Amino acid sequence: MPNNDFLPQRGNYRGLVAYQKAECIYDLTYFFATKFLAVGDRTVDQMVQAARSGKQNIAEGSAASSTSRETEIKLTNVAKASLQELLVDYEDYLRVRGLQQWAQDNPRFQQARKACAEHNDPGYYTAAAAERSDETIANIAIILIHQTDYLLYKLIERLKDDFIKKGGIREEMTRARLEYRNQQRSQQGSKEHQSH
């Protein structure tokens, strides 16, 4: 049988844990920026746009995966870069206001890291944020960004590995076409053999 799966049914970005966490980051960032930053502060728009870019580029990369692995890798890298930009905004927010960025040995950090690892539902974070301080929300966002960054790193490594092993879509189409031609020749040869 020729390989006809060179356009695999991919693009299920909602099933990616990295996307689910990026959605949590977006919702939490929107809540944070509109509650704790002044109206008209350019940082509001910058933070919300960086969070949105992280989420959207994971979705767009996944959607592009069936036609271009190169585009999928590129957009996933863009998502990673956007979340790094957002990370710096949260760190800056804490530093310039004299608030604490939790160290890894801080019990609050450990508790938050465990909760962030277990929850991928945006509603969980926005409900919790309503009763938390800006320092706490910023630290939770930082932890979520680090977790998502790691997931995106693993995803990019897997995509690169797939690309090295299988090539891009053009290579897969060429392989499928060659397999089909070989199969047609083999069937033709067998028909000719039977007719003699």
Side-chain angles (χ1 to χ4, degrees):
M1 280 295 288
N3 172 22
N4 292 323
D5 63 353
F6 53 79
L7 288 181
Q9 292 301 309
R10 296 167 79 179
N12 178 25
Y13 60 88
R14 292 187 188 280
L16 290 171
V17 176
Y19 176 82
Q20 294 165 9
K21 289 202 178 295
E23 194 170 49
C24 296
I25 292 166
Y26 174 81
D27 287 17
L28 192 59
T29 299
Y30 186 86
F31 176 90
F32 178 88
T34 53
K35 180 169 182 181
F36 295 110
L37 293 168
V39 176
D41 185 338
R42 286 179 57 218
T43 313
V44 173
D45 193 46
Q46 286 167 358
M47 290 181 77
V48 171
Q49 284 305 314
R52 182 182 182 278
S53 174
K55 178 174 75 79
Q56 295 299 114
N57 279 291
I58 295 169
E60 287 174 33
S62 182
S65 67
S66 62
T67 53
S68 172
R69 289 210 177 88
E70 299 96 320
T71 303
E72 183 180 16
I73 292 167
K74 181 183 168 192
L75 290 173
T76 307
N77 266 307
V78 171
K80 198 171 183 300
S82 295
L83 292 177
Q84 284 299 311
E85 181 187 327
L86 181 62
L87 174 67
V88 172
D89 282 331
Y90 275 114
E91 290 173 342
D92 286 349
Y93 179 93
L94 291 172
R95 190 185 64 258
V96 300
R97 288 164 179 80
L99 300 172
Q100 185 184 11
Q101 183 175 339
W102 301 339
Q104 290 192 17
D105 60 356
N106 185 320
R108 288 185 295 174
F109 175 90
Q110 292 167 4
Q111 183 185 3
R113 183 170 61 182
K114 184 173 184 291
C116 290
E118 290 171 356
H119 295 280
N120 300 332
D121 171 27
Y124 170 83
Y125 295 96
T126 49
E131 300 162 13
R132 301 295 193 280
S133 68
D134 54 346
E135 178 180 291
T136 299
I137 297 169
N139 275 285
I140 289 168
I142 287 168
I143 291 165
L144 269 175
I145 293 167
H146 280 302
Q147 290 180 351
T148 309
D149 183 70
Y150 177 73
L151 291 169
L152 289 173
Y153 165 77
K154 297 296 281 182
L155 178 60
I156 290 164
E157 290 302 300
R158 197 193 80 218
L159 294 172
K160 284 180 183 173
D161 191 51
D162 280 354
F163 185 76
I164 290 164
K165 287 177 181 168
K166 300 176 186 174
I169 302 303
R170 279 190 296 266
E171 289 97 331
E172 290 201 30
M173 290 173 79
T174 301
R175 273 198 299 274
R177 195 165 59 242
L178 290 172
E179 282 178 30
Y180 176 75
R181 282 181 188 165
N182 289 338
Q183 185 187 42
Q184 293 300 102
R185 281 193 197 113
S186 148
Q187 286 173 352
Q188 190 65 36
S190 121
K191 281 177 188 169
E192 287 171 6
H193 181 71
Q194 287 168 5
S195 67
H196 287 305

